[in-house]
Amino acid sequence: MKLLMTRHGETQYNKEKKYYGRTDIELDGLGLRQARELADKLKATTIDYAIRSDLKRTQQTMDAIMQYHPQTKQIIEKDIDEMPFGIWEGLNADQVEARDPTTWAAWLQAPFDVTPAGAEPYRVFEKRVTTALDHYRETLPSNSTLLVVAHQGVLRTLYRCWTGGDFWSVDFKAGCYSVFETGDGGVSLVSLND
């Protein structure tokens, strides 16, 4: 199976460097342009299935792509929603540090093990996301092409779990797509940010 993995276009909160996992914000002007650029890049590519999270920013990104793929089977999958950040939602790093200094300092030391109040623990998020994508990898035809429109945290988590790569070292850019392929040995990265 070929996996085309892409991040939604930019939002105002991206521009402001805010944590906003579950906040259902729309794309900004640049984000809408990025979605159109991505759609142009993929318009000649065969896409058998397209999966997105349940949030507006992935819906807007997928809508732009799907105008060229009216026959593609579309799936909304809440289990690939971004990780909610609890009391950190809508705040940038400086605001988080000012309001929640103890948790912030601990999180910087162990980001996969420290959870802000009201947030989803990373290990729960990781299991949710990988279980969802593994289900589709195992049940959809092995010769199909699957587009996934998701979020930076989701894509980094899948990259880390599938390839063993470092979560923080990879950046999935808006307006681009990355190609993964599945085989007997698991999932491998073919290209990043095409």
Side-chain angles (χ1 to χ4, degrees):
M1 176 181 289
K2 181 185 283 188
L3 301 161
L4 307 175
M5 312 292 285
T6 187
R7 183 184 180 189
H8 61 79
E10 182 189 82
T11 69
Q12 184 64 33
Y13 276 15
N14 287 130
K15 195 180 302 181
E16 297 170 1
K17 299 185 185 314
K18 292 184 175 179
Y19 295 93
Y20 72 111
R22 192 54 59 86
T23 305
D24 202 8
I25 190 170
E26 296 186 352
L27 301 181
D28 63 16
L30 174 58
L32 291 169
R33 285 195 304 277
Q34 290 167 332
R36 289 191 298 269
E37 289 169 9
L38 180 59
D40 284 341
K41 290 177 183 179
L42 290 170
K43 68 181 173 184
T45 301
T46 299
I47 300 173
D48 301 301
Y49 301 91
I51 298 174
R52 68 168 176 86
S53 79
D54 192 35
L55 298 169
K56 289 176 190 169
R57 52 198 187 263
T58 60
Q59 177 189 347
Q60 290 175 291
T61 303
M62 186 181 280
D63 286 349
I65 299 166
M66 289 298 105
Q67 68 180 323
Y68 298 114
H69 301 276
Q71 304 306 315
T72 296
K73 167 84 171 137
Q74 297 183 49
I75 302 164
I76 299 170
E77 179 53 76
K78 287 181 65 69
D79 282 342
I80 63 166
D81 284 3
E82 183 63 284
M83 182 174 71
F85 286 95
I87 63 170
W88 292 6
E89 289 272 328
L91 304 177
N92 65 32
D94 291 339
Q95 293 167 325
V96 170
E97 185 177 22
R99 295 182 191 184
D100 192 11
T102 303
T103 308
W104 175 250
W107 183 82
L108 289 176
Q109 295 301 311
F112 300 122
D113 301 316
V114 174
T115 306
E120 181 178 26
Y122 178 78
R123 302 297 177 193
V124 174
F125 166 71
E126 177 183 68
K127 183 167 180 48
R128 165 169 66 83
V129 167
T130 56
T131 299
L133 259 293
D134 286 346
H135 165 74
Y136 293 109
R137 287 195 310 109
E138 291 163 8
T139 58
L140 296 177
S142 61
N143 63 345
S144 58
T145 298
L146 170 63
L147 172 71
V148 178
V149 182
H151 309 269
Q152 184 79 281
V154 170
L155 298 173
R156 282 178 168 174
T157 294
L158 292 168
Y159 168 79
R160 177 175 171 259
C161 291
W162 287 344
T163 71
D166 178 57
F167 181 95
W168 304 106
S169 68
V170 66
D171 181 30
F172 291 91
K173 298 186 183 305
C176 297
Y177 66 96
S178 299
V179 180
F180 291 77
E181 286 185 351
T182 63
D184 294 337
V187 184
S188 57
L189 175 64
V190 176
S191 62
L192 182 66
N193 293 321
D194 291 340

